[in-house]
């Protein structure tokens, strides 16, 4: 599987996987500090950024197959991985399959239950429709702290602090992703993330106490399915810890994967 990606830095490889509708650029707030110590490979998943969509079914399973193919083709099988949101679920699935090394999953999806599934879908579906409608004025909106707050408050505890450039590019990839709608439905109403008590590398799960997408109560379910995992709470973060707490997120990623060096 050919996937658009950037490769920066030196040291042991570290693969970064973004969430639903995003691209490799979502990692911009932590990229420089990570590349100071690791060789970072940040990908655009199929149907996101500059990577074409998959033909046929688009699901967690088929995305995981695509990432597995990419890792194998680039001699990256068994390396450490970090994912956020849907990307967090993907890296947990890769860990469950035994495809990767140390795994850091930030606010992963796949652990909704009951009404939480409908809440997730009912809040994000209209949000993406609005983001698409607002594309003609998105530069002006993301250039304003007030505009960023209105657009990104579901994802971030402090959207006004996010750079206008990161916000603008995230909103553009959200609107342009041909896979967004299908993946949203499958994430909301499809199978939950299965777990395992045995992985090739250690598993660290990070969760924002102020997450409005994958609610903090879901962290216990994640630990129930990955009982050997370590849980880290981001006390002042929403769904995107690499935006809200970039220094803390960087420290967690580097400390968790340090044994790989």
């Amino acid at each position: 599987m050919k996937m658009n990606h950037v490769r920066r830095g030196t040291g042991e490889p570290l693969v970064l996987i973004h969430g639903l509708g995003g691209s490799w650029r979502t990692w911009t707030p932590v990229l420089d500090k990570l590349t100071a110590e690791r060789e970072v490979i940040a990908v655009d998943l199929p149907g996101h950024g500059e990577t074409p969509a998959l033909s046929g079914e688009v699901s967690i399973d088929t995305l995981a197959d695509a990432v597995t193919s990419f890792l194998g083709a680039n001699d990256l099988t068994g390396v450490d991985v970090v994912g956020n949101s849907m990307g967090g679920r993907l890296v947990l699935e890769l860990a469950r399959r035994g495809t990767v090394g140390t795994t850091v999953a930030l606010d992963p999806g796949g652990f909704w239950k009951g009404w939480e599934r409908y809440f997730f879908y009912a809040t994000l579906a209209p949000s993406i429709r609005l983001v698409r409608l607002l594309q003609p004025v998105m530069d002006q909106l993301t250039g304003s702290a007030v505009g960023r707050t209105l657009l990104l408050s579901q994802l971030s505890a402090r959207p006004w602090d996010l750079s206008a450039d990161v916000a603008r590019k995230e909103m553009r990839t959200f609107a342009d992703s041909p896979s967004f709608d299908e993946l949203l439905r499958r994430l909301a109403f499809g199978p939950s993330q299965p777990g395992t008590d045995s992985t090739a590398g250690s598993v660290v799960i990070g969760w924002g106490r102020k997450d409005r997408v994958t609610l903090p109560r879901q962290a216990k379910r994640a630990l129930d399915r990955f009982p050997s995992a370590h849980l880290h709470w981001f006390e002042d973060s929403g769904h995107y810890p690499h935006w809200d707490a970039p220094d803390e997120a960087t420290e967690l990623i580097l400390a968790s994967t340090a044994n790989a060096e």
Side-chain angles (χ1 to χ4, degrees):
M1 177 68 198
K2 292 183 178 180
M3 296 199 302
N4 181 60
H5 62 283
V6 296
R7 198 162 188 159
R8 298 179 182 173
T10 58
E12 291 295 316
L14 178 68
V15 173
L16 307 183
I17 301 180
H18 62 79
L20 176 62
S23 74
W24 71 265
R25 298 178 188 277
T26 192
W27 299 105
T28 298
V30 298
L31 206 53
D32 285 346
K33 289 186 177 180
L34 290 177
T35 56
E37 298 193 30
R38 303 291 293 267
E39 181 186 22
V40 173
I41 302 95
V43 304
D44 285 346
L45 290 169
H48 296 74
E50 296 178 39
T51 300
L54 296 174
S55 58
E57 177 184 306
V58 183
S59 66
I60 292 297
D61 281 344
T62 60
L63 287 179
D65 291 343
V67 174
T68 298
S69 175
F70 169 81
L71 295 177
N74 290 275
D75 196 27
L76 294 170
T77 301
V79 302
D80 302 335
V81 291
V82 182
N84 168 244
S85 189
M86 183 183 74
R89 179 171 180 180
L90 273 172
V91 297
L92 289 176
E93 175 60 18
L94 295 173
R96 188 187 71 83
R97 296 182 180 193
T99 305
V100 295
T102 297
T103 299
V104 181
L106 304 177
D107 296 76
F111 302 101
W112 296 282
K113 185 177 179 180
W115 65 267
E116 296 165 355
R117 291 177 176 269
Y118 297 93
F119 172 81
F120 167 70
Y121 186 81
T123 53
L124 280 188
S127 295
I128 187 60
R129 288 195 291 270
L130 181 61
V131 165
R132 289 168 180 157
L133 288 171
L134 291 175
Q135 285 304 303
V137 294
M138 194 55 69
D139 285 357
Q140 297 94 308
L141 288 172
T142 54
S144 157
V146 173
R148 292 193 296 277
T149 300
L150 293 172
L151 287 167
L152 296 167
S153 59
Q154 188 174 3
L155 301 178
S156 170
R158 290 191 305 281
W160 53 87
D161 283 340
L162 188 66
S163 79
D165 184 59
V166 171
R168 181 176 64 255
K169 289 172 180 174
E170 193 81 357
M171 292 298 93
R172 184 173 299 149
T173 59
F174 267 50
D176 290 345
S177 170
S179 300
F180 190 101
D181 293 337
E182 181 177 356
L183 281 169
L184 179 61
R185 287 192 298 271
R186 289 184 181 274
L187 286 168
F189 304 118
S192 298
Q193 174 61 47
T196 181
D197 59 1
S198 177
T199 55
S202 59
V203 175
V204 176
I205 299 174
W207 222 291
R209 292 277 191 190
K210 299 178 180 179
D211 194 333
R212 299 184 183 94
V213 178
T214 53
L215 304 178
R217 68 174 73 194
Q218 295 165 23
K220 182 180 184 302
R221 296 174 207 152
L223 290 180
D224 287 343
R225 294 178 205 174
F226 292 86
S228 62
H230 169 74
L231 177 64
H232 175 87
W233 286 108
F234 291 91
E235 297 295 335
D236 193 27
S237 175
H239 191 56
Y240 282 15
H242 54 297
W243 288 4
D244 291 342
D247 290 341
E248 185 180 357
T250 301
E251 183 179 350
L252 176 68
I253 292 166
L254 293 176
S256 300
T257 61
N259 292 334
E261 298 185 10

